Amino acid sequence: MQKKLMATYILIISLTIIIAVLFSWNKGNQYFRDTVRKDTETKGQLLIDILTNEAENDSLDFQAFADRYSSKSEVRITLIDMEGIVVADSDEDYRIMDNHAFRNEVSRAIKGEIASKIRYSDTLGTYYLYTALPISIKGFQGVLRLSMPLIEIQNIAIDMIKYVVYGILIGAVIAVIIAYIVTKRFMEPLGQLTQAAIKISEGNYNDKIYIRSKDETGKLAEAFNDMTVKLSLNMWKLEKRNREFESVLSSMINGVIAVDEDYKVFLYNSKLNQILNIQEDIVGKSIYEVIRNTTIFNVLEKSIEQNEYIVDETIIKSNKKDKTVRVYANPIFAPKRASIKTMGTLLVIRDITQMKKLETMRSDFVSNVTHELNTPLTSIRGFVDTLKNGAIKDEKVAARFLDIIDIETERLSLLIQDILSLSAIENMEDEKNSSDNNIGEIINEVTEILNPKLEDKDINVDIRVKKDVTYNCNRNRIKQLIINLMDNAIKYTEKGSVIISCDESEEDVIIEVTDTGIGIEEQHIPRLFERFYRVDKGRSRNMGGTGLGLSIVKHIVGLYKGKIEVESNIGVGTTFTIRLPK
């Protein structure tokens, strides 16, 4: 910027010098020529007066007059008659000179005018000033012409121009120096403002401009500093709001995606990537490139067409697992001051796979509970009606019916007890009544409790417990867990043995229950811990199972933040491994 200003100043000064020199040359040259012309006319009038006096004294000699007064007046004197014939000349032989009647100044003087003319002399190689005056004396009428070279005038004009140029150049140098100082002083604050503006554009709002000047530059610096403070504050507020907005978006459990009127994405959150399995940045892309789902497109387009809130459900296909999602579409209304009504459409995509699963499980649970309760109640009611109708009189039949009623009542009691236990465990966030318990002792107690079942099926139990393995827990809760696992193992083992082991690592207490039973097909393993789920429903029900044992086991393990794993081979057996973190 400073270079441009200096170049402009130099150009202006140069043009000023050229104009001044040309103007001075023209005016100076014209002035000297006018002065010489007037001086020549004055000399001519004096010479005419002298010539008139000599003519009255009858001593008139034109050539002698020209020779005598030419050197005194420092001009060339030529006398010409009315016909244009030269009668005397101080510098040339008048007898061989051409007729001068057609010379401009001579012809005008013949007519009675005083005339001057500047002509270039090829012979002498310089300009001459010719001044002709009409003359009328005793015995002669004609023209007195005075001529003198202008070389001296030109030399004087050139000398004058030199001094003018020297003065202008000195002034120009001084002007350039002053211009440099002024532009430098003027550009320094502008340079500071420029550097500060560059830093602001790079995100640095801490720099200040210190200019002590109180002129417009100083006021500009003060305004710039105020602007920097306000801009910094506004940027801080904007960044804070953006962080809050991004935090809210990233914390949402639903996927959010906003599209403009051209169906291009301008906002989305990370949860959307998880739900739709998107791996790339989708801002600026068309939603039709990002999502491949007809239902979502229909919801979006319908919301735009009707300008209202639309909801629908769809299934998102995935390589891992299909997801059921609920799609909400709502127009994004512009502020009241805006010229447009809507700015696009907001889509909220909620993953309801687990909710659908829970709804299905709840429905299945109600159905299963109804069925499980209805079966023994129907049996009890049937036998009671039979007894009322006379079977009570037959002691053997009555005794058998009462035994069946007792069995069904016990089964109903166990079912209700398991439901209550499961409900109680589900509603617990952590175990409150806990203490250090020896796991080996608990396993021995469970073995004694289930010993009659082991003897009835002629199954051996192999206890492999590391000595002094303790765990901070509710004794009855862990006891219930082991009972359910061992009871399950005994039920599905026809021959062989049941192995229960307990060990510990630096991080976990590990409990394993292994049987040599019929095994479980792989397709059933993921659903083993669901309420009332049975691999073989008829067999499980005949064995007296409620279908809630493994579900209770899973919730107890979850209560202690543990993990449960199942390995099974058909015809070989099944192993349940439980890891409880210390």
Side-chain angles (χ1 to χ4, degrees):
M1 183 66 178
Q2 186 177 2
K3 293 180 179 179
K4 291 182 178 180
L5 285 176
M6 283 301 300
T8 303
Y9 279 129
I10 292 172
L11 178 62
I12 293 172
I13 292 170
S14 301
L15 290 174
T16 303
I17 291 173
I18 293 171
I19 294 171
V21 169
L22 291 175
F23 183 80
S24 299
W25 170 260
N26 290 331
K27 288 297 181 181
N29 206 19
Q30 184 67 36
Y31 171 77
F32 284 114
R33 288 183 179 184
D34 290 342
T35 301
V36 171
R37 181 178 55 78
K38 291 179 181 179
D39 183 59
T40 303
E41 290 178 358
T42 302
K43 288 180 179 181
Q45 292 291 345
L46 292 174
L47 289 174
I48 290 172
D49 291 341
I50 295 172
L51 188 59
T52 302
N53 291 331
E54 289 185 356
E56 290 179 354
N57 295 328
D58 295 329
S59 58
L60 184 62
D61 185 351
F62 292 130
Q63 185 60 45
F65 175 82
D67 293 336
R68 184 170 60 251
Y69 288 101
S70 174
S71 58
K72 291 181 179 181
S73 62
E74 297 181 347
V75 295
R76 177 184 176 183
I77 299 174
T78 304
L79 289 169
I80 307 165
D81 64 15
M82 297 298 287
E83 301 298 327
I85 298 172
V86 178
V87 297
D89 189 90
S90 61
D91 290 355
E92 298 288 339
D93 185 356
Y94 70 90
R95 288 170 294 189
I96 61 174
M97 293 179 68
D98 296 334
N99 190 294
H100 283 44
F102 298 102
R103 302 289 174 92
N104 181 272
E105 71 280 2
V106 175
S107 63
R108 289 170 62 190
I110 290 172
K111 296 176 181 179
E113 299 179 20
I114 299 175
S116 297
K117 185 68 177 178
I118 296 175
R119 281 196 304 274
Y120 184 77
S121 174
D122 294 329
T123 304
L124 300 175
T126 185
Y127 282 94
Y128 271 79
L129 173 65
Y130 298 94
T131 302
L133 296 87
I135 182 172
S136 179
I137 59 177
K138 183 179 178 181
F140 180 78
Q141 276 191 330
V143 176
L144 172 65
R145 190 183 73 171
L146 306 178
S147 59
M148 64 178 298
L150 296 179
I151 184 67
E152 294 182 2
I153 298 174
Q154 291 178 353
N155 291 336
I156 294 172
I158 290 171
D159 290 339
M160 184 195 70
I161 291 301
K162 286 181 180 179
Y163 288 114
V164 170
V165 170
Y166 291 153
I168 292 176
L169 287 176
I170 293 171
V173 172
I174 295 172
V176 169
I177 294 172
I178 294 173
Y180 175 78
I181 295 171
V182 171
T183 54
K184 186 177 180 181
R185 291 186 62 185
F186 178 74
M187 289 304 300
E188 279 181 357
L190 290 182
Q192 294 180 26
L193 287 170
T194 302
Q195 292 298 322
I198 292 172
K199 290 182 179 180
I200 287 176
S201 67
E202 295 173 351
N204 185 356
Y205 304 99
N206 298 323
D207 279 3
K208 296 289 184 295
I209 300 173
Y210 300 98
I211 298 175
R212 297 180 179 180
S213 175
K214 294 184 179 180
D215 57 7
E216 284 73 12
T217 306
K219 294 178 181 179
L220 178 61
E222 291 179 4
F224 191 89
N225 289 335
D226 293 340
M227 181 193 72
T228 303
V229 172
K230 293 178 181 178
L231 187 60
S232 177
L233 180 61
N234 290 336
M235 287 300 297
W236 178 81
K237 291 180 179 179
L238 184 61
E239 289 175 357
K240 180 175 180 291
R241 182 170 294 181
N242 284 341
R243 286 195 300 269
E244 292 172 349
F245 181 66
E246 289 176 1
S247 299
V248 170
L249 275 181
S250 60
S251 301
M252 294 180 68
I253 62 172
N254 299 325
V256 176
I257 180 171
V259 298
D260 59 21
E261 294 181 337
D262 295 325
Y263 298 98
K264 289 185 178 180
V265 179
F266 65 85
L267 176 71
Y268 72 100
N269 65 348
S270 57
K271 190 65 178 179
L272 181 79
N273 293 346
Q274 299 176 17
I275 295 175
L276 301 181
N277 299 317
I278 298 173
Q279 305 298 329
E280 58 183 338
D281 185 10
I282 61 175
V283 172
K285 294 185 177 181
S286 173
I287 192 171
Y288 297 105
E289 299 177 25
V290 178
I291 300 174
R292 306 289 184 182
N293 187 280
T294 305
T295 304
I296 295 178
F297 296 156
N298 291 338
V299 170
L300 173 63
E301 292 168 358
K302 191 174 181 180
S303 176
I304 292 174
E305 290 174 3
Q306 300 180 5
N307 199 29
E308 62 182 13
Y309 174 77
I310 303 294
V311 182
D312 202 352
E313 293 182 5
T314 185
I315 296 176
I316 302 296
K317 298 293 182 180
S318 174
N319 295 331
K320 297 180 180 179
K321 188 177 180 181
D322 292 347
K323 298 177 182 178
T324 303
V325 297
R326 184 170 293 159
V327 184
Y328 306 84
N330 195 51
I332 303 173
F333 295 101
K336 294 182 179 179
R337 293 173 293 176
S339 58
I340 56 175
K341 292 183 178 180
T342 59
M343 300 172 59
T345 305
L346 181 68
L347 289 174
V348 178
I349 301 177
R350 182 180 182 185
D351 187 352
I352 58 172
T353 305
Q354 189 63 24
M355 186 176 70
K356 285 289 184 181
K357 184 179 179 181
L358 291 174
E359 289 178 357
T360 302
M361 291 176 63
R362 186 180 297 109
S363 177
D364 292 343
F365 177 73
V366 173
S367 177
N368 289 329
V369 167
T370 303
H371 180 72
E372 295 293 338
L373 291 174
N374 189 52
T375 301
L377 287 173
T378 301
S379 179
I380 291 171
R381 185 172 182 179
F383 287 117
V384 168
D385 289 340
T386 303
L387 290 172
K388 284 182 178 181
N389 291 331
I392 196 170
K393 295 179 180 180
D394 188 338
E395 293 183 3
K396 291 183 179 181
V397 173
R400 185 165 63 85
F401 283 3
L402 289 174
D403 288 339
I404 294 173
I405 291 172
D406 184 54
I407 293 171
E408 294 295 338
T409 303
E410 183 180 359
R411 179 182 170 188
L412 187 61
S413 176
L414 290 173
L415 178 61
I416 293 172
Q417 184 178 349
D418 283 349
I419 291 173
L420 293 174
S421 297
L422 183 60
S423 178
I425 296 170
E426 283 181 334
N427 291 326
M428 294 178 64
E429 294 183 0
D430 53 21
E431 185 61 79
K432 297 180 180 179
N433 300 320
S434 60
S435 59
D436 290 336
N437 291 280
N438 189 300
I439 302 299
E441 293 179 0
I442 297 175
I443 290 174
N444 289 329
E445 290 179 14
V446 171
T447 304
E448 291 179 5
I449 293 172
L450 297 176
N451 193 52
K453 291 187 177 182
L454 291 167
E455 291 178 352
D456 287 343
K457 300 193 70 172
D458 194 20
I459 297 173
N460 296 323
V461 61
D462 185 2
I463 302 174
R464 303 173 184 177
V465 178
K466 183 180 179 180
K467 188 177 180 181
D468 297 329
V469 176
T470 59
Y471 187 68
N472 189 271
C473 60
N474 184 313
R475 186 181 185 88
N476 292 330
R477 202 80 67 196
I478 298 300
K479 188 174 181 180
Q480 184 180 18
L481 180 149
I482 297 172
I483 287 174
N484 285 338
L485 286 177
M486 287 193 66
D487 184 61
N488 200 64
I490 294 169
K491 286 178 183 178
Y492 294 98
T493 302
E494 298 297 334
K495 60 180 179 179
S497 62
V498 173
I499 303 170
I500 180 167
S501 64
C502 179
D503 200 352
E504 65 178 340
S505 64
E506 293 183 359
E507 299 177 351
D508 302 319
V509 170
I510 304 168
I511 301 172
E512 283 189 356
V513 176
T514 304
D515 62 53
T516 56
I518 60 176
I520 305 169
E521 293 181 0
E522 186 176 355
Q523 63 186 19
H524 296 292
I525 291 177
R527 299 191 62 187
L528 279 179
F529 301 100
E530 293 181 11
R531 301 173 181 87
F532 299 111
Y533 184 80
R534 294 182 174 90
V535 176
D536 187 342
K537 295 183 179 180
R539 182 173 181 177
S540 299
R541 191 172 285 109
N542 291 334
M543 289 180 177
T546 62
L548 296 173
L550 291 179
S551 183
I552 292 173
V553 169
K554 179 183 177 182
H555 282 81
I556 292 174
V557 173
L559 187 63
Y560 290 98
K561 307 297 186 294
K563 296 180 181 179
I564 183 168
E565 299 172 355
V566 182
E567 293 183 6
S568 183
N569 293 310
I570 299 297
V572 177
T574 303
T575 299
F576 287 84
T577 303
I578 296 172
R579 298 178 182 273
L580 302 175
K582 292 182 180 179

